[in-house]
mmCIF file of all heavy atoms in Angstrom:
data_model
loop_
_atom_site.group_PDB
_atom_site.id
_atom_site.type_symbol
_atom_site.label_atom_id
_atom_site.label_comp_id
_atom_site.label_asym_id
_atom_site.label_seq_id
_atom_site.Cartn_x
_atom_site.Cartn_y
_atom_site.Cartn_z
ATOM 1 N N PRO A 1146 48.943 -30.875 -37.130
ATOM 2 C CA PRO A 1146 48.869 -30.656 -35.681
ATOM 3 C C PRO A 1146 48.118 -29.378 -35.367
ATOM 4 O O PRO A 1146 48.245 -28.380 -36.052
ATOM 5 C CB PRO A 1146 50.350 -30.566 -35.257
ATOM 6 C CG PRO A 1146 51.106 -31.303 -36.320
ATOM 7 C CD PRO A 1146 50.348 -31.076 -37.592
ATOM 8 N N SER A 1147 47.348 -29.418 -34.329
ATOM 9 C CA SER A 1147 46.545 -28.263 -33.906
ATOM 10 C C SER A 1147 46.709 -28.059 -32.422
ATOM 11 O O SER A 1147 46.918 -29.013 -31.678
ATOM 12 C CB SER A 1147 45.068 -28.493 -34.244
ATOM 13 O OG SER A 1147 44.297 -27.460 -33.737
ATOM 14 N N THR A 1148 46.565 -26.819 -31.998
ATOM 15 C CA THR A 1148 46.756 -26.491 -30.577
ATOM 16 C C THR A 1148 45.453 -26.275 -29.857
ATOM 17 O O THR A 1148 45.425 -25.738 -28.772
ATOM 18 C CB THR A 1148 47.614 -25.219 -30.458
ATOM 19 O OG1 THR A 1148 46.951 -24.165 -31.139
ATOM 20 C CG2 THR A 1148 48.997 -25.442 -31.033
ATOM 21 N N HIS A 1149 44.299 -26.660 -30.488
ATOM 22 C CA HIS A 1149 43.026 -26.431 -29.774
ATOM 23 C C HIS A 1149 42.899 -27.405 -28.629
ATOM 24 O O HIS A 1149 43.755 -28.265 -28.409
ATOM 25 C CB HIS A 1149 41.849 -26.543 -30.756
ATOM 26 C CG HIS A 1149 41.505 -27.943 -31.151
ATOM 27 N ND1 HIS A 1149 40.770 -28.737 -30.350
ATOM 28 C CD2 HIS A 1149 41.841 -28.659 -32.253
ATOM 29 C CE1 HIS A 1149 40.620 -29.918 -30.927
ATOM 30 N NE2 HIS A 1149 41.268 -29.886 -32.089
ATOM 31 N N VAL A 1150 41.799 -27.302 -27.926
ATOM 32 C CA VAL A 1150 41.644 -28.017 -26.654
ATOM 33 C C VAL A 1150 41.740 -29.523 -26.785
ATOM 34 O O VAL A 1150 42.029 -30.218 -25.839
ATOM 35 C CB VAL A 1150 40.296 -27.632 -26.009
ATOM 36 C CG1 VAL A 1150 39.150 -28.194 -26.818
ATOM 37 C CG2 VAL A 1150 40.232 -28.059 -24.567
ATOM 38 N N GLY A 1151 41.505 -30.069 -27.928
ATOM 39 C CA GLY A 1151 41.562 -31.524 -28.087
ATOM 40 C C GLY A 1151 42.961 -32.078 -28.068
ATOM 41 O O GLY A 1151 43.155 -33.289 -28.084
ATOM 42 N N GLY A 1152 44.000 -31.240 -28.108
ATOM 43 C CA GLY A 1152 45.365 -31.728 -28.084
ATOM 44 C C GLY A 1152 45.947 -31.785 -29.475
ATOM 45 O O GLY A 1152 45.335 -31.420 -30.467
ATOM 46 N N ALA A 1153 47.176 -32.257 -29.616
ATOM 47 C CA ALA A 1153 47.859 -32.322 -30.920
ATOM 48 C C ALA A 1153 47.180 -33.321 -31.821
ATOM 49 O O ALA A 1153 46.715 -34.373 -31.405
ATOM 50 C CB ALA A 1153 49.323 -32.691 -30.715
ATOM 51 N N ARG A 1154 47.150 -32.972 -33.129
ATOM 52 C CA ARG A 1154 46.509 -33.833 -34.121
ATOM 53 C C ARG A 1154 47.575 -34.646 -34.845
ATOM 54 O O ARG A 1154 48.611 -34.131 -35.256
ATOM 55 C CB ARG A 1154 45.729 -32.971 -35.112
ATOM 56 C CG ARG A 1154 44.981 -33.743 -36.158
ATOM 57 C CD ARG A 1154 43.757 -34.398 -35.552
ATOM 58 N NE ARG A 1154 42.849 -33.379 -35.115
ATOM 59 C CZ ARG A 1154 42.070 -33.506 -34.054
ATOM 60 N NH1 ARG A 1154 42.097 -34.612 -33.354
ATOM 61 N NH2 ARG A 1154 41.249 -32.539 -33.706
ATOM 62 N N ARG A 1155 47.362 -35.904 -35.043
ATOM 63 C CA ARG A 1155 48.312 -36.741 -35.784
ATOM 64 C C ARG A 1155 47.611 -37.302 -37.015
ATOM 65 O O ARG A 1155 46.404 -37.315 -37.110
ATOM 66 C CB ARG A 1155 48.811 -37.883 -34.900
ATOM 67 C CG ARG A 1155 47.716 -38.797 -34.384
ATOM 68 C CD ARG A 1155 48.274 -39.876 -33.474
ATOM 69 N NE ARG A 1155 47.223 -40.708 -32.926
ATOM 70 C CZ ARG A 1155 46.661 -41.730 -33.570
ATOM 71 N NH1 ARG A 1155 47.041 -42.038 -34.814
ATOM 72 N NH2 ARG A 1155 45.722 -42.465 -32.998
ATOM 73 N N SER A 1156 48.391 -37.745 -37.973
ATOM 74 C CA SER A 1156 47.836 -38.309 -39.193
ATOM 75 C C SER A 1156 47.146 -39.625 -38.876
ATOM 76 O O SER A 1156 47.670 -40.449 -38.122
ATOM 77 C CB SER A 1156 48.965 -38.531 -40.214
ATOM 78 O OG SER A 1156 48.458 -39.102 -41.393
ATOM 79 N N ARG A 1157 45.949 -39.821 -39.446
ATOM 80 C CA ARG A 1157 45.170 -41.007 -39.133
ATOM 81 C C ARG A 1157 44.912 -41.797 -40.410
ATOM 82 O O ARG A 1157 44.623 -41.216 -41.457
ATOM 83 C CB ARG A 1157 43.842 -40.627 -38.478
ATOM 84 C CG ARG A 1157 44.023 -39.888 -37.157
ATOM 85 C CD ARG A 1157 42.700 -39.618 -36.498
ATOM 86 N NE ARG A 1157 42.866 -38.871 -35.259
ATOM 87 C CZ ARG A 1157 43.161 -39.438 -34.087
ATOM 88 N NH1 ARG A 1157 43.316 -40.746 -34.024
ATOM 89 N NH2 ARG A 1157 43.311 -38.701 -33.012
#
Side-chain angles (χ1 to χ4, degrees):
S1147 175
T1148 59
H1149 75 80
V1150 69
R1154 182 74 65 213
R1155 59 182 177 82
S1156 179
R1157 299 184 182 277

